[in-house]
Amino acid sequence: MLEINGINSFYGKAHILNDLSFSVGQGEVVALLGRNGAGKTTTMKSIMQLVRPRSGSVRFADTDITGISPHKVARLGLGYVPEERRIFTDLTILENLEVGRQAPRVGAPTWTLDALFELFPNLAERQNNRGKALSGGEQQMLTIARTLMGNPSLLLLDEPSEGIAPVIVEQMAQTILNFKSQGLTVIISEQNLHFAKIVADRAVIIEGGEKKFDDTFEALESQPEIRDAYLSI
Ligand code: ATP
């Protein structure tokens, strides 16, 4: 479904991603792991074309999306939830969700407000409250719910477990497993190995913008030297 082939991405002169390649199959949940500054966010931005790779290509569902504008990438069915939450604080929850609404998409789950409120009961209870009244965890949920209103077929979640209370982290894991059961393809960026192991089928480890590992969590467990070298946990 997604194929990243030898991308090189830069911020100005700083060469951040180095010949990075990996692919994600339909319905898979893949965790991008690595320390602070390893290049996980840059990888997500390079997929969305928010950072345009200088070489290499990104293919989504057999379309070469390299160099096209980020809003076109979104329209093709890629939903991106950045690490910093981006909700409209002066709009209500309901209004925030309406902003994200797009037409249903062939081959992707179609989300209704009712389905989202079932998935995120906290948001349902507070649907007429303004964004600024929400806790950090609720804002995170609202950002995800708003992205789902675009009916993506591939969802990119940057550090979904970061900065939220432990009980909400558990809820977040269940939510991602629920996405998977609906057939959504998901890429998460994580520093929390435990969380990644619960939700993901496969780990791609990045260090210094290079891929160092791409396999199952069982394979990762059998190679503790990889974990020690590239993960902080
Ligand atoms: P984190 O967990 O801290 O978000 P990450 O693995 O997502 O880490 P990136 O945010 O992709 O890492 O950063 C990769 C490298 O690019 C780091 O060295 C970072 O300092 C650098 N970097 C990130 N954003 C910019 C920018 N806008 N301009 C210049 N350098 C940047």
Side-chain angles (χ1 to χ4, degrees):
M1 165 170 248
L2 182 78
E3 251 181 66
I4 296 157
N5 293 309
I7 57 171
N8 285 279
S9 294
F10 294 71
Y11 292 115
K13 285 186 178 158
H15 191 170
I16 307 295
L17 299 184
N18 259 294
D19 282 329
L20 183 70
S21 300
F22 68 95
S23 57
V24 179
Q26 168 81 43
E28 237 190 332
V29 179
V30 169
L32 281 180
L33 304 176
R35 294 199 181 98
N36 264 339
K40 305 180 294 297
T41 298
T42 309
T43 302
M44 292 204 162
K45 289 187 171 167
S46 299
I47 294 169
M48 293 305 295
Q49 304 303 310
L50 291 161
V51 169
R52 291 189 178 177
R54 280 203 200 153
S55 60
S57 68
V58 181
R59 293 183 73 81
F60 173 66
D62 289 330
T63 303
D64 187 347
I65 61 171
T66 330
I68 74 174
S69 66
H71 78 269
K72 282 193 183 142
V73 174
R75 259 198 252 135
L76 286 171
L78 286 90
Y80 174 48
V81 180
E83 197 176 353
E84 66 282 10
R85 293 142 197 153
R86 291 201 193 139
I87 61 161
F88 297 103
T89 49
D90 285 329
L91 298 186
T92 64
I93 290 183
L94 205 53
E95 288 165 343
N96 266 281
L97 292 174
E98 288 297 347
V99 168
R101 189 189 285 277
Q102 280 183 46
R105 197 181 307 280
V106 177
T110 299
W111 296 89
T112 59
L113 283 173
D114 284 348
L116 286 172
F117 284 145
E118 199 177 314
L119 191 61
F120 300 112
N122 292 10
L123 298 184
E125 280 165 27
R126 314 187 63 184
Q127 55 185 284
N128 295 313
N129 289 17
R130 290 187 198 280
K132 62 183 156 210
L134 302 181
S135 70
E138 287 167 339
Q139 292 191 4
Q140 178 86 304
M141 299 283 181
L142 179 55
T143 311
I144 295 174
R146 195 185 58 197
T147 305
L148 290 173
M149 285 294 284
N151 300 311
S153 44
L154 172 65
L155 185 65
L156 298 114
L157 298 174
D158 199 348
E159 304 225 13
S161 75
E162 170 77 8
I164 54 178
V167 51
I168 313 283
V169 171
E170 188 58 38
Q171 244 179 4
M172 184 70 77
Q174 289 313 315
T175 303
I176 294 171
L177 290 171
N178 182 313
F179 295 159
K180 182 180 159 68
S181 70
Q182 308 225 23
L184 195 59
T185 307
V186 184
I187 303 177
I188 61 165
S189 144
E190 264 305 323
Q191 302 220 22
N192 180 338
L193 181 60
H194 172 71
F195 181 87
K197 233 185 330 194
I198 294 173
V199 303
D201 302 305
R202 185 156 57 88
V204 171
I205 299 181
I206 301 176
E207 165 77 18
E210 289 180 13
K211 187 171 82 173
K212 301 293 183 183
F213 177 88
D214 183 351
D215 209 333
T216 61
F217 287 88
E218 293 86 73
L220 181 56
E221 256 156 41
S222 69
Q223 297 171 70
E225 68 283 3
I226 299 271
R227 193 192 56 200
D228 294 347
Y230 304 122
L231 304 178
S232 33
I233 1 92

